[in-house]
Amino acid sequence: MHILFITSTRLGDAILSTGLLDTLLRRYPDADFTIACGPVAAGLFAHMPRRVRTIEMVKRPRNMHWVDLWRQCRGRKWDLCVDLRSSIVSYFLRVGERHVMQGGRRRGPRITHIGNLLDLDPAPLPVTWTSAAECQEAARMLPDDGTRWIALGPTANWDGKIWPPERFVAVFKALQADDPRLRPVILYGPGEAERARALPVIERLPDALDTGGSLTVTQVAAVLARCTLFIGNDSGLMHLAAASGIPTLGLFGRSKAMEYAPAGPWGRVAMAPGPVGNAPMEGLGVKQVVLIAQRLLHDWMHAKG
C-alpha cells in the first residue's frame, strides 16, 4: 500500500500534522509513505517509520512547484492521498482514496481542522521521531545529573511575535529562585538573524547551554525531550516542544492562540492583553508568565507522582 501525504511548507503546521501521520502508520501497518513538504519542514520526517521518500517542494513562479510534484508522483498508483495544502494535484494522479483539506483560514484550532479531515475527534496530538544516536547525543549535552533543564525559545519567524528578551531572563531567574537546580537551554534556528534574536538572552544567562542554532529539527526534538519545561514565542520550536510531550508554555500576542496553541498533553498559553491576534507582546508581563509556568510545573510534577 502506497500513501502520499502532502503537508505544510511551514515547520509549525507540519508538526501539527504528525499526529495524523502517526494515526495512518498505526491504521495501515503495511503501508509505505511519501511525504511532500517545504524544505524547512523536511527534516522533521527524517526518522519517520516506513517513510520511503520526502519530496521537498520549493516554491516556484506560477505555482510550478505543484507541476513538479505531479511529475514526481504520476508514475505510481497511490492507494491513499492526504493533502493538507488544498491542492488539486491528487485529482490528476491515480489515487484510490483522497482526503483534501479545504483552503482558507477557519476559526478554531488548526489541529482540529487537521483531525477533521479523517473524522478524528479528538484530533491526534503531534509526535516526534528521533534516532537512538540523537537521543544519546542529547543525553551527553543535557546530562541526568540532578539538573532540571528549562528550554527557552526567544525567537520567532517575525519580530512582532517576539517577547522582549530581558523578560525571558527575568522569568527564568524567578523560577530558578524557587528551584536552584534549574539551568537554561537556549534554542533557536539557523542563521545570523536567529542568533541575533537569541543573543540578548544568551548574554544575560551566563550559565545557559547555547545550542548554537546548528541542530537539526530531530536533534532539537531529542534535546527537548530531556527538558522539564519549554517557554517560548509562538513558533515551530514551540510546536516541537509540545509534540515532544514536555510542559510547554507558548507566549502569544500578535498571533492567535485559539488557532495555534501548543498541541500537547501539557500545552499552555500566556496571552498579551489586547485585540486577539494583534496584541503587542510588550503587554505580556513577567509575573503572569511566571505564575503560569509555576502552576504548569506543579501540575506536571504532581501527575508524575
Side-chain angles (χ1 to χ4, degrees):
M1 184 175 184
H2 306 301
I3 296 177
L4 175 62
F5 192 89
I6 305 172
T7 187
S8 181
T9 59
R10 298 192 301 179
L11 179 59
D13 284 296
I15 292 168
L16 290 176
S17 74
T18 57
L20 193 61
L21 263 176
D22 186 53
T23 298
L24 294 173
L25 281 165
R26 289 181 280 109
R27 182 178 293 183
Y28 302 108
D30 297 322
D32 61 47
F33 291 77
T34 295
I35 310 298
C37 64
V40 173
L44 178 66
F45 307 100
H47 306 296
M48 175 190 162
R50 289 184 273 131
R51 178 191 60 89
V52 295
R53 186 183 183 191
T54 297
I55 301 173
E56 295 188 23
M57 297 177 60
V58 179
K59 188 173 179 61
R60 294 179 59 195
R62 296 182 294 178
N63 288 323
M64 288 300 293
H65 48 286
W66 290 111
V67 177
D68 292 341
L69 178 63
W70 171 77
R71 287 172 176 164
Q72 294 184 69
C73 296
R74 64 182 175 176
R76 166 167 284 178
K77 167 67 166 63
W78 300 95
D79 298 280
L80 173 65
C81 176
V82 175
D83 180 2
L84 303 181
R85 295 287 305 280
S86 311
S87 77
I88 62 172
V89 168
S90 66
Y91 294 97
F92 292 91
L93 298 173
R94 290 183 297 155
V95 173
E97 179 183 347
R98 62 176 58 83
H99 298 272
V100 180
M101 177 173 279
Q102 296 179 2
R105 296 194 69 168
R106 285 167 285 168
R107 292 181 60 85
R110 173 72 174 175
I111 192 169
T112 299
H113 301 154
I114 292 172
N116 287 345
L117 193 60
L118 294 183
D119 297 321
L120 300 174
D121 185 19
L125 294 177
V127 300
T128 60
W129 298 289
T130 55
S131 69
E134 288 170 338
C135 293
Q136 290 171 1
E137 177 60 16
R140 185 195 65 78
M141 293 174 62
L142 282 67
D144 188 10
D145 58 3
T147 300
R148 298 178 65 190
W149 301 93
I150 303 296
L152 302 178
T155 69
N157 61 346
W158 60 286
D159 290 344
K161 294 166 66 175
I162 294 177
W163 203 39
E166 64 275 9
R167 299 190 189 182
F168 278 97
V169 176
V171 166
F172 177 78
K173 289 184 175 180
L175 296 176
Q176 192 180 48
D178 288 340
D179 186 350
R181 297 172 296 172
L182 300 185
R183 184 180 171 191
V185 182
I186 314 299
L187 294 164
Y188 51 98
E192 289 303 316
E194 277 281 296
R195 179 160 181 82
R197 293 183 178 109
L199 196 58
V201 178
I202 296 169
E203 292 176 338
R204 290 174 170 86
L205 294 173
D207 63 334
L209 173 61
D210 175 8
T211 56
S214 60
L215 301 180
T216 67
V217 174
T218 50
Q219 287 172 333
V220 173
V223 166
L224 284 166
R226 297 188 63 80
C227 293
T228 300
L229 172 68
F230 171 89
I231 303 173
N233 304 308
D234 173 25
S235 64
L237 184 59
M238 177 200 72
H239 290 295
L240 192 64
S244 300
I246 66 170
T248 300
L249 176 52
L251 311 179
F252 285 80
R254 296 292 189 184
S255 52
K256 294 182 178 180
M258 64 180 296
E259 295 180 4
Y260 283 103
W266 294 98
R268 303 290 187 272
V269 299
M271 299 176 60
V276 175
N278 196 29
M281 291 296 287
E282 292 77 11
L284 179 59
V286 169
K287 184 177 180 180
Q288 178 183 347
V289 174
V290 170
L291 289 174
I292 297 173
Q294 289 173 330
R295 190 180 311 121
L296 177 55
L297 281 173
H298 175 271
D299 292 346
W300 182 65
M301 295 300 293
H302 181 75
K304 287 182 62 177

